[in-house]
Amino acid sequence: MDAIAVTVEGFVEKIVFRNEDNGYTILSLVHDETEITCVGYITVISEGEFIRATGNFTEHPVYGEQLLMDSYEIKEPEDAVSMELYLGSGAIKGIGKALASRIVKKFGEDTFRVIIEEPERLAEVKGISERMAIDIYRQFEEKRDMRNAMMFLQKYNITGNLAVKIFKEYGNRMYEIIRENPYKLAEDITGVGFKTADEIARRIGIEPNSEFRIKAAILYLLMQANTEGHVYLPEPELIARAKNLLMSDEEMVRRQITNLSIEKKVVLADGGTERLVYASVFYYMELNVARMLHDLNIKYDYDPNLLDKRLSQIEKQTNTVLDEQQRIAVYEAVRNGLLIITGGPGTGKTTTINAIIKVFEAEGLDILLAAPTGRAAKRMSEATGYEAKTIHRMLELSKLTQGDGNGYTFERNEYNPLETDVLIIDEMSMVDISLMHALLKAVPVGTRLILVGDVNQLPSVGPGNVLKDIINSHCFNVVMLTKIFRQAEGSDIIVNAHKINAGEQIKLDNKSTDFFMLKRNNAAVITAVIINLVKNKLPKYVDATSFDIQVLTPMKKGELGVEKLNKALQAALNPPSQEKKEKEYNQNIFREGDKVMQIKNNYQLTWEIKSDSGFTVQTGTGVFNGDSGIIKEINFFTESVLVEFDDGRLVEYSFSQLDELELAYAVTVHKSQGSEYSAIVLPILDGPKLLFNRNILYTAVTRAKRCVVIVGSDAMVKFMIDNKNEQNRYSRLCEQIREMADY
C-alpha cells in the first residue's frame, strides 16, 4: 500500500545542509511548535521563510524521522515571529537580528506590507536611513522576483547556482528569452551548454529538425570554436560537429549554413578546396585588422647621422651598448609607422624598448606603453621606469548599461582615439583578434605602433594567431633579436629555453644553479616532491615566499593536472583553520588566504584600489582571464568573497560567481602566459601528446626568473623537445594581410 502524502506548513528555523549546485537541502521546519526535519530539492530558500511542503515521512537510520518533500511552495510569512526570523536570517543584506527585531516591533504583522508599499517608513526605525530603506525594499523585491524565477526554471530541471546566474544575467527578461530563444542561454551564460538549452527548447515545443534549432546549433559551434582559439571552421568540420550534436543529416545542416549566410549571421569565405565558415563578427574583425595594419604602415624620413648621434648619447647616459640588431630595431621604429620586434628571453627586448623610448622622448613625442595583462604591464613599468597600463585600461573599458548582459565597450575607439605619438605593446603573443581589433580602432593613422613579443610563445587564449600571422605575412618590418647577451648567458634558464626552441636536447645533470631535473616516475611521489619544494626548499633558495613559486602543468585533468595538484597544494600551504572561513562550491573549497585565478573575462566586475589608510583611490570595471590574487575575506552574511589581485585591485564576488575563480597554486602553462615567477616547478610524466610538445615546455621554462625545477621523467622532457606538434588554429589574418597588400 502506498504511503499517504502529508502536507505541513511552518517557518524554516535552520538550514542544516544545502548543495548550491543541485539545490538538495536538509532543513528544520517549525510546524505547530513541533520541529520537523525536511529533505528535498529546493531552488532558493532562506531561514525564516514560511513554506508549505508535501511529501512522505520516512525513518532515517541515523537522523530519525524525516519528511521527504515531493513538492513545496514558499509563502509570505504570516505572523510577526516568522517575519522577524526571516528578516534576521541574513536574507536581506544589512539587516541583522537586532535590527529585524526593531523593525517588527515597530510595524508588527504589517511589516511586509510596509516594506513593499511604504518602504520610506522604514526610516522611522532607529538605525535605518532613507537610502537604506530603499535598499531593503529593492532587495526584498529582488528576492521575490528571484524566487519566482527559480520556481519557473525548476520546470526545466534548472536549479541552484545555474538558476541564480540566469536570473542575474537577464532579470525579468528571462521569461521572454526562454520562450522566444532558449538557445541564447548557451551563448551568454557559462555553465549552460547547448544540450541544456536544447532540453528547454524541447520542453517548450521546438521540433528537433526545426530551422531555428539547427541555426542555433551552428552559431553555438562557431562560438565553441572561438573558445578553442579558432577564428573560423572549415565547412566540412562544422557540418561534422553539427551532425554529432544534433543527430541531423548533412543536407539539413548545409542548408541552414547557407540561410545563415543570407541572413548575414555567418560569412562563407573561399578556402581553396573548401568553404570556410565564420561568425560574421570575426570575419570582419580579421578583415579590418588587416586593413588597419596597412593604414598605419607609413614611412617617415629621418636623418641617419642625427639618429647615430642620439644613440651614442643614450648609450653613454644609460651605460649600455646596443648590438647591430638592436640598432636596426631603433632605426626601423623611427622610420616606420608599424614595427614588430620579436625575440626570446635574454635577447635584449627591454634594452631595445628603452632605447626607442629615449629616442622618441628626445624628439618631444608622447609615448604610451601597454601590455595584455596586469602582471605583464607591471613588469613593463619596472623594466622601463615608465607607466604601463593593461590594454583594457588604456582603451578605457566600460560596461554597457544594465540589460545588455555581460557586454562591454571601450571609450577609446575611432571616434575617440588614443592621444599619443608612439604606442608600444609588449607580450603581443597574448593578444587575440578581438583585442587587436579594439586596439587598432583606437590608434589613428600617423601614430607609430611598435609590437613586441616572443613569437615562439603559446598563442593567445582567445581566438586567432595575431603576432605569428602578422610576422608570417612578410608585409611589415620585422626585427628578430637572436643574440643572447652576456649577462643572460650565465643563466641556464635562458640558455636552455633557446635550446628547447631550436629543438636541441638540454643537459639534465643538475650541475646548474638555476635549472634542475628531479627524476621520479610515480605521480604520488611527484606530488609529494612538489609540495616539499614549494613549501620548504625553494623559498629559501630563491628568497621568495611559497606563494611566489608557481607550479605549472600542461594538463587540467589527471593525477598531475591542475585540479588534483591544487587540492594537494592547498592542503599543504593553506590548511583548514578555525581562524579561516571557507566556502564549498562545485566540489572545490575556497578558503581565506587561498591563491586564486580568474578563468574568464568578466567586463562587468567592479574593482577598487585602496590606499594604506583604507581610502579608495581608484575604481574601474573588468577582471580578466589569467588575473591572479589572494582571497582576503569570505563573508557569509553578504554571501561574498573578497579577492585582492596582484596589482592591488580588490574585487567582490558573490557566491554564485565563484565558478569564475579557480585555485591557482598550480596553473596550466597556457594560463601562465605574460606572467613571471621567482621559480617554477614543472611536473612532467605522461599525458596527451598534443599537450606535451616543445612550445609548452619553452613557454613554461621562460616564465621563471631565478629557478626551474622539472620533476618527473627525463625521457618525456626529451620527447617534448622533439615533438613540434601543436594544435592547428584556423586563422586567415596572414592571408587577409597579403591579399590587401596586392591591391
Side-chain angles (χ1 to χ4, degrees):
M1 190 176 160
D2 293 338
I4 299 168
V6 294
T7 299
V8 295
E9 289 184 355
F11 64 84
V12 178
E13 187 179 51
K14 185 173 174 53
I15 294 172
V16 180
F17 172 80
R18 180 162 172 79
N19 183 321
E20 296 291 349
D21 297 322
N22 60 18
Y24 180 76
T25 304
I26 304 171
L27 57 85
S28 175
L29 188 77
V30 175
H31 168 74
D32 291 341
E33 299 185 3
T34 305
E35 199 173 306
I36 300 169
T37 301
C38 299
V39 179
Y41 293 88
I42 295 184
T43 48
V44 63
I45 193 77
S46 300
E47 289 176 357
E49 290 200 282
F50 196 86
I51 68 168
R52 176 186 287 141
T54 300
N56 300 109
F57 279 107
T58 181
E59 193 70 28
H60 192 279
V62 177
Y63 302 109
E65 191 178 58
Q66 296 179 337
L67 181 71
L68 294 179
M69 293 183 291
D70 297 322
S71 64
Y72 72 95
E73 61 177 308
I74 297 174
K75 302 176 75 179
E76 296 278 311
E78 292 173 346
D79 59 76
V81 174
S82 300
M83 289 177 186
E84 186 177 326
L85 275 166
Y86 176 74
L87 291 174
S89 69
I92 307 295
K93 291 175 189 176
I95 301 183
K97 287 180 179 173
L99 188 53
S101 176
R102 290 205 297 276
I103 294 169
V104 176
K105 193 173 179 181
K106 172 79 176 171
F107 301 113
E109 291 185 0
D110 211 25
T111 297
F112 278 20
R113 188 198 62 78
V114 169
I115 293 173
I116 295 161
E117 295 176 11
E118 303 174 87
E120 66 282 356
R121 285 191 62 197
L122 290 170
E124 297 170 18
V125 178
K126 188 183 173 187
I128 299 180
S129 64
E130 284 183 16
R131 189 174 172 182
M132 188 179 175
I134 298 305
D135 187 53
I136 291 168
Y137 162 75
R138 185 186 53 75
Q139 285 191 64
F140 204 82
E141 283 290 277
E142 195 177 87
K143 285 273 178 188
R144 181 183 273 184
D145 289 346
M146 185 178 283
R147 189 182 299 130
N148 293 337
M150 302 295 107
M151 301 293 280
F152 175 78
L153 290 168
Q154 199 174 29
K155 294 189 294 190
Y156 302 109
N157 287 339
I158 298 172
T159 58
N161 285 317
L162 199 52
V164 172
K165 283 171 75 174
I166 292 169
F167 180 73
K168 284 195 171 173
E169 180 74 23
Y170 302 124
N172 287 324
R173 290 169 55 236
M174 176 193 85
Y175 304 100
E176 181 191 345
I177 287 165
I178 285 173
R179 280 194 294 269
E180 290 182 6
N181 180 12
Y183 296 103
K184 189 167 169 53
L185 273 64
E187 292 174 36
D188 296 342
I189 296 167
T190 310
V192 179
F194 180 83
K195 287 183 177 169
T196 303
D198 202 35
E199 176 59 19
I200 297 171
R202 187 187 65 77
R203 288 176 180 237
I204 63 173
I206 293 172
E207 293 294 323
N209 289 327
S210 78
E211 288 188 13
F212 187 64
R213 179 174 182 254
I214 297 170
K215 284 177 183 173
I218 291 164
L219 294 173
Y220 172 76
L221 287 167
L222 287 173
M223 186 183 69
Q224 285 296 102
N226 298 150
T227 66
E228 296 164 23
H230 304 305
V231 182
Y232 66 85
L233 282 178
E235 190 176 40
E237 187 168 334
L238 176 58
I239 288 170
R241 291 189 184 197
K243 280 169 66 181
N244 187 47
L245 183 65
L246 297 165
M247 303 300 165
S248 295
D249 66 60
E250 185 170 324
E251 188 48 44
M252 290 173 82
V253 175
R254 196 182 297 276
R255 195 183 310 131
Q256 296 315 321
I257 291 172
T258 303
N259 286 341
L260 284 166
S261 167
I262 294 165
E263 293 167 17
K264 296 190 166 35
K265 289 180 179 174
V266 304
V267 173
L268 301 175
D270 182 11
T273 57
E274 58 195 8
R275 291 198 305 184
L276 314 175
V277 188
Y278 286 82
S280 290
V281 63
F282 282 103
Y283 176 80
Y284 291 109
M285 270 185 194
E286 255 191 4
L287 202 63
N288 288 334
V289 165
R291 177 185 56 78
M292 290 187 287
L293 286 168
H294 279 295
D295 289 347
L296 290 169
N297 191 32
I298 55 181
K299 304 296 175 190
Y300 295 89
D301 289 326
Y302 203 88
D303 183 350
N305 295 323
L306 181 62
L307 186 54
D308 279 336
K309 199 173 172 182
R310 280 253 160 84
L311 278 179
S312 297
Q313 287 172 342
I314 289 165
E315 285 177 323
K316 199 175 280 184
Q317 286 167 5
T318 56
N319 199 23
T320 54
V321 178
L322 299 177
D323 83 327
E324 189 184 350
Q325 287 172 313
Q326 290 175 310
R327 281 182 164 272
I328 290 170
V330 179
Y331 278 99
E332 296 298 338
V334 169
R335 294 198 309 225
N336 292 280
L338 176 64
L339 174 68
I340 297 94
I341 301 171
T342 182
T347 56
K349 291 194 295 292
T350 301
T351 305
T352 308
I353 290 171
N354 282 332
I356 290 169
I357 290 170
K358 294 260 185 304
V359 166
F360 284 130
E361 208 175 34
E363 289 289 308
L365 299 181
D366 289 329
I367 303 157
L368 278 180
L369 308 182
T373 66
R375 275 187 173 231
K378 191 178 174 187
R379 274 175 43 218
M380 199 180 187
S381 294
E382 289 165 355
T384 61
Y386 292 80
E387 185 192 12
K389 294 181 178 177
T390 66
I391 298 172
H392 289 90
R393 278 179 73 181
M394 179 182 72
L395 296 178
E396 297 173 20
L397 177 84
S398 69
K399 60 184 178 183
L400 294 174
T401 53
Q402 202 173 9
D404 286 306
N406 193 24
Y408 71 100
T409 185
F410 292 110
E411 296 296 327
R412 295 287 181 175
N413 50 38
E414 62 269 49
Y415 308 109
N416 179 29
L418 293 165
E419 293 161 23
T420 188
D421 301 305
V422 181
L423 175 59
I424 304 173
I425 307 289
D426 199 10
E427 293 285 359
M428 264 302 299
S429 62
M430 297 181 68
V431 176
D432 63 23
I433 192 72
S434 304
L435 189 56
M436 190 66 179
H437 184 252
L439 174 71
L440 291 177
K441 281 203 304 181
V443 181
V445 174
T447 304
R448 286 179 173 87
L449 178 62
I450 300 162
L451 307 175
V452 184
D454 183 351
V455 73
N456 295 306
Q457 296 283 347
L458 288 166
S460 57
V461 174
N465 222 345
V466 174
L467 181 62
K468 196 171 276 186
D469 280 351
I470 294 172
I471 292 170
N472 289 344
S473 72
H474 302 296
C475 288
F476 310 111
N477 281 71
V478 178
V479 177
M480 291 201 179
L481 304 177
T482 53
K483 181 185 173 184
I484 304 176
F485 283 84
R486 188 166 46 81
Q487 58 268 39
E489 284 176 350
S491 163
D492 283 320
I493 295 173
I494 289 171
V495 170
N496 285 342
H498 284 274
K499 282 185 174 178
I500 291 164
N501 190 42
E504 296 173 26
Q505 292 298 333
I506 58 176
K507 286 181 182 172
L508 299 169
D509 55 8
N510 289 339
K511 290 180 180 175
S512 168
T513 57
D514 63 2
F515 201 104
F516 303 97
M517 174 82 216
L518 304 181
K519 295 176 191 176
R520 305 289 189 275
N521 58 12
N522 176 280
V525 172
I526 291 171
T527 302
V529 169
I530 289 170
I531 289 168
N532 190 32
L533 284 165
V534 175
K535 192 175 179 181
N536 304 315
K537 301 281 187 186
L538 284 173
K540 295 173 197 164
Y541 191 74
V542 297
D543 190 26
T545 70
S546 293
F547 279 52
D548 296 322
I549 294 154
Q550 189 61 56
V551 178
L552 301 180
T553 173
M555 308 175 294
K556 280 183 73 83
K557 306 286 183 185
E559 291 302 309
L560 295 171
V562 163
E563 292 173 3
K564 288 203 171 178
L565 283 173
N566 266 320
K567 285 181 177 171
L569 285 158
Q570 182 193 41
L573 300 174
N574 190 32
S577 160
Q578 286 188 332
E579 283 76 53
K580 292 178 179 179
K581 294 195 280 294
E582 57 185 53
K583 168 70 182 168
E584 188 174 354
Y585 189 94
N586 276 359
Q587 281 94 50
N588 287 315
I589 290 170
F590 293 101
R591 189 173 293 129
E592 289 174 344
D594 272 336
K595 187 175 175 181
V596 291
M597 178 179 276
Q598 176 80 10
I599 58 167
K600 60 174 281 194
N601 290 338
N602 186 327
Y603 303 99
Q604 301 281 52
L605 274 175
T606 55
W607 53 262
E608 60 179 359
I609 295 173
K610 291 191 173 182
S611 65
D612 292 341
S613 50
F615 292 105
T616 300
V617 292
Q618 206 176 344
T619 61
T621 58
V623 185
F624 305 104
N625 194 348
D627 288 353
S628 55
I630 303 288
I631 293 179
K632 302 300 287 183
E633 185 188 4
I634 296 174
N635 189 324
F636 284 97
F637 186 64
T638 59
E639 296 188 346
S640 63
V641 173
L642 184 68
V643 177
E644 183 175 7
F645 286 95
D646 291 338
D647 53 4
R649 288 173 303 156
L650 289 163
V651 178
E652 191 173 89
Y653 292 79
S654 67
F655 283 172
S656 64
Q657 291 172 311
L658 288 177
D659 59 344
E660 295 188 17
L661 290 175
E662 275 183 1
L663 293 175
Y665 300 98
V667 301
T668 61
V669 178
H670 279 87
K671 286 283 171 68
S672 72
Q673 285 172 267
S675 296
E676 201 173 59
Y677 309 99
S678 296
I680 68 125
V681 181
L682 184 63
I684 292 178
L685 188 61
D686 199 8
K689 299 298 181 272
L690 201 62
L691 288 176
F692 283 74
N693 61 37
R694 186 185 301 175
N695 203 203
I696 290 270
L697 185 61
Y698 173 76
T699 302
V701 167
T702 56
R703 300 304 90 206
K705 282 192 287 190
R706 297 181 206 153
C707 186
V708 170
V709 186
I710 300 173
V711 189
S713 161
D714 57 339
M716 184 53 89
V717 173
K718 289 170 182 163
F719 170 83
M720 288 178 83
I721 294 169
D722 289 336
N723 181 20
K724 283 182 72 176
N725 291 333
E726 297 169 41
Q727 189 191 0
N728 180 38
R729 285 196 164 194
Y730 296 123
S731 160
R732 281 191 76 251
L733 179 61
C734 176
E735 287 77 8
Q736 301 270 38
I737 292 169
R738 285 177 185 167
E739 286 166 17
M740 215 155 276
D742 294 336
Y743 284 116

